[in-house]
PDB file of all heavy atoms in Angstrom:
ATOM      1  N   LEU H 226      -7.586  -0.392  -1.296  1.00 88.00           N
ATOM      2  CA  LEU H 226      -7.404   0.641  -2.314  1.00 88.00           C
ATOM      3  C   LEU H 226      -7.134  -0.013  -3.633  1.00 88.00           C
ATOM      4  O   LEU H 226      -7.518   0.582  -4.711  1.00 88.00           O
ATOM      5  CB  LEU H 226      -6.253   1.540  -1.975  1.00 88.00           C
ATOM      6  CG  LEU H 226      -6.466   2.649  -0.960  1.00 88.00           C
ATOM      7  CD1 LEU H 226      -5.202   3.262  -0.461  1.00 88.00           C
ATOM      8  CD2 LEU H 226      -7.488   3.629  -1.404  1.00 88.00           C
ATOM      9  N   MET H 227      -6.473  -1.188  -3.775  1.00 89.00           N
ATOM     10  CA  MET H 227      -6.208  -1.901  -5.004  1.00 89.00           C
ATOM     11  C   MET H 227      -7.274  -3.009  -5.302  1.00 89.00           C
ATOM     12  O   MET H 227      -6.939  -3.751  -6.206  1.00 89.00           O
ATOM     13  CB  MET H 227      -4.833  -2.454  -4.892  1.00 89.00           C
ATOM     14  CG  MET H 227      -3.697  -1.416  -4.653  1.00 89.00           C
ATOM     15  SD  MET H 227      -3.676   0.002  -5.639  1.00 89.00           S
ATOM     16  CE  MET H 227      -3.422  -0.745  -7.267  1.00 89.00           C
ATOM     17  N   SER H 228      -8.411  -2.940  -4.591  1.00 87.00           N
ATOM     18  CA  SER H 228      -9.312  -3.987  -4.796  1.00 87.00           C
ATOM     19  C   SER H 228     -10.004  -3.913  -6.138  1.00 87.00           C
ATOM     20  O   SER H 228     -10.246  -2.762  -6.580  1.00 87.00           O
ATOM     21  CB  SER H 228     -10.310  -3.891  -3.851  1.00 87.00           C
ATOM     22  OG  SER H 228     -11.467  -4.827  -4.020  1.00 87.00           O
ATOM     23  N   PRO H 229     -10.215  -5.045  -6.805  1.00 87.00           N
ATOM     24  CA  PRO H 229     -10.874  -4.967  -8.178  1.00 87.00           C
ATOM     25  C   PRO H 229     -12.285  -4.427  -8.051  1.00 87.00           C
ATOM     26  O   PRO H 229     -12.925  -4.076  -9.109  1.00 87.00           O
ATOM     27  CB  PRO H 229     -10.902  -6.492  -8.676  1.00 87.00           C
ATOM     28  CG  PRO H 229      -9.782  -7.014  -7.887  1.00 87.00           C
ATOM     29  CD  PRO H 229      -9.771  -6.424  -6.625  1.00 87.00           C
ATOM     30  N   SER H 230     -12.862  -4.405  -6.819  1.00 85.00           N
ATOM     31  CA  SER H 230     -14.203  -3.932  -6.622  1.00 85.00           C
ATOM     32  C   SER H 230     -14.274  -2.381  -6.779  1.00 85.00           C
ATOM     33  O   SER H 230     -15.372  -1.844  -7.077  1.00 85.00           O
ATOM     34  CB  SER H 230     -14.752  -4.258  -5.254  1.00 85.00           C
ATOM     35  OG  SER H 230     -13.961  -3.727  -4.275  1.00 85.00           O
ATOM     36  N   LEU H 231     -13.209  -1.770  -6.796  1.00 86.00           N
ATOM     37  CA  LEU H 231     -13.097  -0.246  -6.973  1.00 86.00           C
ATOM     38  C   LEU H 231     -13.047   0.056  -8.334  1.00 86.00           C
ATOM     39  O   LEU H 231     -12.443  -0.692  -9.218  1.00 86.00           O
ATOM     40  CB  LEU H 231     -11.907   0.387  -6.166  1.00 86.00           C
ATOM     41  CG  LEU H 231     -11.945   0.310  -4.680  1.00 86.00           C
ATOM     42  CD1 LEU H 231     -10.678   1.024  -4.209  1.00 86.00           C
ATOM     43  CD2 LEU H 231     -13.170   1.071  -4.100  1.00 86.00           C
ATOM     44  N   PRO H 232     -13.519   1.212  -8.871  1.00 88.00           N
ATOM     45  CA  PRO H 232     -13.356   1.528 -10.266  1.00 88.00           C
ATOM     46  C   PRO H 232     -11.816   1.714 -10.695  1.00 88.00           C
ATOM     47  O   PRO H 232     -11.069   2.053  -9.683  1.00 88.00           O
ATOM     48  CB  PRO H 232     -13.964   3.004 -10.356  1.00 88.00           C
ATOM     49  CG  PRO H 232     -15.021   3.037  -9.137  1.00 88.00           C
ATOM     50  CD  PRO H 232     -14.351   2.152  -8.070  1.00 88.00           C
ATOM     51  N   ALA H 233     -11.512   1.394 -11.896  1.00 86.00           N
ATOM     52  CA  ALA H 233     -10.200   1.438 -12.334  1.00 86.00           C
ATOM     53  C   ALA H 233      -9.570   2.955 -12.234  1.00 86.00           C
ATOM     54  O   ALA H 233      -8.396   2.958 -12.077  1.00 86.00           O
ATOM     55  CB  ALA H 233     -10.039   0.939 -13.784  1.00 86.00           C
ATOM     56  N   ASP H 234     -10.471   3.849 -12.231  1.00 88.00           N
ATOM     57  CA  ASP H 234      -9.925   5.141 -12.105  1.00 88.00           C
ATOM     58  C   ASP H 234     -10.174   5.809 -10.842  1.00 88.00           C
ATOM     59  O   ASP H 234     -10.260   7.094 -10.629  1.00 88.00           O
ATOM     60  CB  ASP H 234     -10.609   6.101 -13.150  1.00 88.00           C
ATOM     61  CG  ASP H 234     -12.134   6.088 -13.169  1.00 88.00           C
ATOM     62  OD1 ASP H 234     -12.694   5.443 -12.325  1.00 88.00           O
ATOM     63  OD2 ASP H 234     -12.684   6.885 -13.869  1.00 88.00           O
ATOM     64  N   ASP H 235     -10.379   4.961  -9.724  1.00 88.00           N
ATOM     65  CA  ASP H 235     -10.567   5.479  -8.340  1.00 88.00           C
ATOM     66  C   ASP H 235      -9.459   6.499  -7.976  1.00 88.00           C
ATOM     67  O   ASP H 235      -8.236   6.233  -8.003  1.00 88.00           O
ATOM     68  CB  ASP H 235     -10.580   4.305  -7.396  1.00 88.00           C
ATOM     69  CG  ASP H 235     -10.905   4.805  -6.028  1.00 88.00           C
ATOM     70  OD1 ASP H 235     -12.014   5.086  -5.721  1.00 88.00           O
ATOM     71  OD2 ASP H 235      -9.895   4.948  -5.263  1.00 88.00           O
ATOM     72  N   ALA H 236      -9.828   7.624  -7.557  1.00 88.00           N
ATOM     73  CA  ALA H 236      -8.980   8.732  -7.238  1.00 88.00           C
ATOM     74  C   ALA H 236      -8.147   8.413  -5.942  1.00 88.00           C
ATOM     75  O   ALA H 236      -6.910   8.787  -5.997  1.00 88.00           O
ATOM     76  CB  ALA H 236      -9.718  10.047  -6.973  1.00 88.00           C
ATOM     77  N   GLY H 237      -8.646   7.748  -5.023  1.00 88.00           N
ATOM     78  CA  GLY H 237      -7.846   7.485  -3.816  1.00 88.00           C
ATOM     79  C   GLY H 237      -6.788   6.397  -4.106  1.00 88.00           C
ATOM     80  O   GLY H 237      -5.602   6.586  -3.670  1.00 88.00           O
ATOM     81  N   ALA H 238      -7.101   5.436  -4.902  1.00 91.00           N
ATOM     82  CA  ALA H 238      -6.097   4.392  -5.379  1.00 91.00           C
ATOM     83  C   ALA H 238      -4.958   5.076  -6.116  1.00 91.00           C
ATOM     84  O   ALA H 238      -3.817   4.791  -5.993  1.00 91.00           O
ATOM     85  CB  ALA H 238      -6.812   3.330  -6.155  1.00 91.00           C
ATOM     86  N   ALA H 239      -5.413   5.992  -7.074  1.00 92.00           N
ATOM     87  CA  ALA H 239      -4.373   6.597  -7.898  1.00 92.00           C
ATOM     88  C   ALA H 239      -3.427   7.547  -7.105  1.00 92.00           C
ATOM     89  O   ALA H 239      -2.189   7.474  -7.350  1.00 92.00           O
ATOM     90  CB  ALA H 239      -5.168   7.478  -9.053  1.00 92.00           C
ATOM     91  N   ALA H 240      -4.052   8.240  -6.113  1.00 92.00           N
ATOM     92  CA  ALA H 240      -3.186   9.117  -5.279  1.00 92.00           C
ATOM     93  C   ALA H 240      -2.269   8.250  -4.428  1.00 92.00           C
ATOM     94  O   ALA H 240      -1.049   8.616  -4.189  1.00 92.00           O
ATOM     95  CB  ALA H 240      -4.051   9.837  -4.285  1.00 92.00           C
ATOM     96  N   PHE H 241      -2.682   7.057  -3.914  1.00 94.00           N
ATOM     97  CA  PHE H 241      -1.887   6.155  -3.164  1.00 94.00           C
ATOM     98  C   PHE H 241      -0.674   5.659  -4.003  1.00 94.00           C
ATOM     99  O   PHE H 241       0.442   5.703  -3.616  1.00 94.00           O
ATOM    100  CB  PHE H 241      -2.780   5.014  -2.687  1.00 94.00           C
ATOM    101  CG  PHE H 241      -1.923   3.925  -1.791  1.00 94.00           C
ATOM    102  CD1 PHE H 241      -1.885   4.103  -0.502  1.00 94.00           C
ATOM    103  CD2 PHE H 241      -1.341   2.871  -2.471  1.00 94.00           C
ATOM    104  CE1 PHE H 241      -1.210   3.148   0.228  1.00 94.00           C
ATOM    105  CE2 PHE H 241      -0.604   1.964  -1.709  1.00 94.00           C
ATOM    106  CZ  PHE H 241      -0.543   2.073  -0.317  1.00 94.00           C
ATOM    107  N   VAL H 242      -0.935   5.234  -5.190  1.00 95.00           N
ATOM    108  CA  VAL H 242       0.067   4.635  -6.025  1.00 95.00           C
ATOM    109  C   VAL H 242       1.097   5.785  -6.437  1.00 95.00           C
ATOM    110  O   VAL H 242       2.273   5.484  -6.413  1.00 95.00           O
ATOM    111  CB  VAL H 242      -0.498   4.038  -7.290  1.00 95.00           C
ATOM    112  CG1 VAL H 242       0.574   3.657  -8.446  1.00 95.00           C
ATOM    113  CG2 VAL H 242      -1.268   2.816  -6.992  1.00 95.00           C
ATOM    114  N   ASP H 243       0.566   6.947  -6.837  1.00 95.00           N
ATOM    115  CA  ASP H 243       1.433   8.056  -7.207  1.00 95.00           C
ATOM    116  C   ASP H 243       2.417   8.400  -6.119  1.00 95.00           C
ATOM    117  O   ASP H 243       3.625   8.684  -6.231  1.00 95.00           O
ATOM    118  CB  ASP H 243       0.704   9.293  -7.694  1.00 95.00           C
ATOM    119  CG  ASP H 243      -0.004   9.014  -9.052  1.00 95.00           C
ATOM    120  OD1 ASP H 243       0.487   7.970  -9.687  1.00 95.00           O
ATOM    121  OD2 ASP H 243      -0.945   9.801  -9.484  1.00 95.00           O
ATOM    122  N   ALA H 244       1.819   8.467  -4.848  1.00 95.00           N
ATOM    123  CA  ALA H 244       2.622   8.884  -3.667  1.00 95.00           C
ATOM    124  C   ALA H 244       3.704   7.848  -3.425  1.00 95.00           C
ATOM    125  O   ALA H 244       4.731   8.047  -3.021  1.00 95.00           O
ATOM    126  CB  ALA H 244       1.700   9.050  -2.466  1.00 95.00           C
ATOM    127  N   PHE H 245       3.322   6.544  -3.502  1.00 96.00           N
ATOM    128  CA  PHE H 245       4.221   5.503  -3.290  1.00 96.00           C
ATOM    129  C   PHE H 245       5.454   5.451  -4.179  1.00 96.00           C
ATOM    130  O   PHE H 245       6.571   5.424  -3.766  1.00 96.00           O
ATOM    131  CB  PHE H 245       3.400   4.069  -3.543  1.00 96.00           C
ATOM    132  CG  PHE H 245       4.263   2.981  -3.490  1.00 96.00           C
ATOM    133  CD1 PHE H 245       4.503   2.252  -2.311  1.00 96.00           C
ATOM    134  CD2 PHE H 245       4.735   2.244  -4.644  1.00 96.00           C
ATOM    135  CE1 PHE H 245       5.246   1.174  -2.184  1.00 96.00           C
ATOM    136  CE2 PHE H 245       5.646   1.071  -4.659  1.00 96.00           C
ATOM    137  CZ  PHE H 245       5.760   0.570  -3.327  1.00 96.00           C
ATOM    138  N   PHE H 246       5.228   5.733  -5.484  1.00 96.00           N
ATOM    139  CA  PHE H 246       6.447   5.747  -6.399  1.00 96.00           C
ATOM    140  C   PHE H 246       7.158   7.214  -6.215  1.00 96.00           C
ATOM    141  O   PHE H 246       8.416   7.078  -6.418  1.00 96.00           O
ATOM    142  CB  PHE H 246       5.934   5.592  -7.863  1.00 96.00           C
ATOM    143  CG  PHE H 246       5.613   4.105  -8.238  1.00 96.00           C
ATOM    144  CD1 PHE H 246       4.358   3.670  -8.154  1.00 96.00           C
ATOM    145  CD2 PHE H 246       6.672   3.159  -8.520  1.00 96.00           C
ATOM    146  CE1 PHE H 246       4.060   2.405  -8.462  1.00 96.00           C
ATOM    147  CE2 PHE H 246       6.355   1.892  -8.713  1.00 96.00           C
ATOM    148  CZ  PHE H 246       5.013   1.412  -8.846  1.00 96.00           C
TER     149      PHE H 246
END
Side-chain angles (χ1 to χ4, degrees):
L226 285 169
M227 303 307 299
S228 170
S230 63
L231 291 180
D234 59 351
D235 181 78
F241 180 90
V242 171
D243 287 343
F245 174 84
F246 283 99

